[in-house]
Amino acid sequence: MGFVFADLHLHTRFSDGTYTPEELVAEAHRQGFVTLSITDHDTVEGCPAMARACAEHGLQFIPGVELTAEYEGLEVHILGYGFDPGHPELLEQMDRFQAVRQQRIHEMVARLNEMNIPLPVERVFALANCRSPGRPHVARALVEAGVCRDLDEAFERFLKKHRPAWVPKWKVSVPEAIRLLHRAGGVAVLAHPGLYYADPVLPDLVRAGLDGIECFHTKHTPAVTERYLALAGRYGLVVTGGSDCHGYNKGQPLLGSIRLAPEFVERLQHRIAARRAEFSMKGS
Ligand code: AMP
Ligand code: ZN
Ligand code: FE
Ligand code: FE
């Protein structure tokens, strides 16, 4: 065996990734993955195409999403898994998150224009070509226009928090994000906790219904992974992992950097089934 691994954190062109779901699945299949999710920012639109592509290659597919949420002023990413991608309330909320993202693009480009950088907002939307645009699309437009050499420069000079073209974004609260995912038949997982310091609020998030922690992530050192594996054990949370591959946004694609073992996928599936039973009994 050896080739029975999962990648549960993947971005596509439906948000700020560069692969289509079909390209991503073909590449993951070539690399020997057997289970995949898709976790685009604030959209579930890629789920049907990803499900079809996985079925064609004989891979197991788990619907997913990465929600930008907030807890006590801290931006926290919440991964959702196993929900119904056609759930009406989920789709309605995604529309709202996407409207906020689109408005923010207008505001960021207006700030650039005020700095005498003549970037047309239409160009950013054309490059993004999706309903859930983000800062990487503004960065790509800046590179294309010759204003910046690469995406890192665009973030460093303009787009990082508190830089001149950065615009704060309204975010759903973590407890609301968790409730939304539960009502849609899924579970909620804290994404890459090593990238922000959420440890002090972890007990609160568990009380709010958090189901898991993404312990395995490209940017986690072995020590960070160990720390969150221990915390997952202490709080009775499932463990997930993924590469957070965005395709060719930033050098080499990250696909293949994380290979999640099947035991974790199995425990995630059990948790999804348990939450579904709980929430269908509540009739919500
Ligand atoms: P947004 O969702 O619009 O706030 O944009 C956040 C996204 O920007 C993250 O999910 C990353 O994919 C991406 N990002 C953050 N920093 C950088 C960087 N230095 N270069 C390229 N992409 C970045
Ligand atoms: Zn991203
Ligand atoms: Fe994230
Ligand atoms: Fe991500």
Side-chain angles (χ1 to χ4, degrees), residues 11 15-17 41 66 136 244 246 249:
H11 295 271
S15 66
D16 57 4
H41 299 286
E66 181 171 21
D244 211 349
H246 283 72
N249 269 2

Side-chain angles (χ1 to χ4, degrees), residues 12-244:
T12 73
R13 282 196 209 165
F14 285 95
S15 66
D16 57 4
T18 64
Y19 285 123
T20 63
E22 292 80 7
E23 289 164 348
L24 193 53
V25 172
E27 179 57 23
H29 181 248
R30 208 186 57 75
Q31 292 193 19
F33 282 97
V34 301
T35 304
L36 298 176
S37 187
I38 178 179
T39 53
D40 275 313
H41 299 286
D42 297 326
T43 178
V44 298
E45 285 168 286
C47 285
M50 191 82 172
R52 271 195 305 277
C54 281
E56 276 167 25
H57 287 88
L59 305 188
Q60 182 190 23
F61 171 66
I62 301 174
V65 69
E66 181 171 21
L67 300 179
T68 309
E70 174 267 324
Y71 195 77
E72 290 181 350
L74 179 71
E75 179 171 320
V76 168
H77 292 182
I78 297 292
L79 295 163
Y81 293 113
F83 49 79
D84 165 14
H87 191 266
E89 188 197 350
L90 183 68
L91 294 178
E92 196 180 295
Q93 291 301 319
M94 296 294 119
D95 275 353
R96 192 166 154 220
F97 301 161
Q98 291 156 23
V100 170
R101 282 183 168 276
Q102 290 164 19
Q103 179 55 34
R104 184 174 178 236
I105 297 288
H106 282 286
E107 289 171 32
M108 288 192 289
V109 171
R111 294 211 182 175
L112 289 166
N113 294 163
E114 280 162 24
M115 283 182 278
N116 292 319
I117 295 163
L119 190 70
V121 74
E122 294 75 22
R123 192 57 207 144
V124 179
F125 284 113
L127 275 177
N129 192 29
C130 71
R131 291 203 182 93
S132 201
R135 285 180 289 166
H137 299 118
V138 180
R140 278 190 228 164
L142 286 168
V143 172
E144 186 194 62
V147 178
C148 298
R149 259 169 302 135
D150 53 29
L151 298 185
D152 280 338
E153 187 191 326
F155 272 85
E156 282 303 322
R157 276 174 65 193
F158 301 113
L159 299 170
K160 261 170 70 165
K161 192 169 182 179
H162 303 315
R163 293 292 149 87
W166 173 76
V167 173
K169 178 165 99 232
W170 171 87
K171 305 170 198 77
V172 69
S173 80
V174 173
E176 280 177 78
I178 293 172
R179 281 194 294 272
L180 175 64
L181 291 165
H182 284 168
R183 284 197 297 266
V187 299
V189 173
L190 180 64
H192 45 62
L195 302 196
Y196 31 68
Y197 193 61
D199 297 20
V201 298
L202 198 53
D204 287 3
L205 304 191
V206 172
R207 267 192 295 277
L210 188 74
D211 296 286
I213 303 184
E214 186 179 49
C215 297
F216 301 98
H217 183 274
T218 310
K219 289 192 177 159
H220 284 177
T221 62
V224 167
T225 298
E226 285 304 321
R227 182 162 92 243
Y228 289 106
L229 285 170
L231 284 170
R234 185 182 314 162
Y235 291 108
L237 300 170
V238 298
V239 168
T240 71
S243 63
D244 211 349

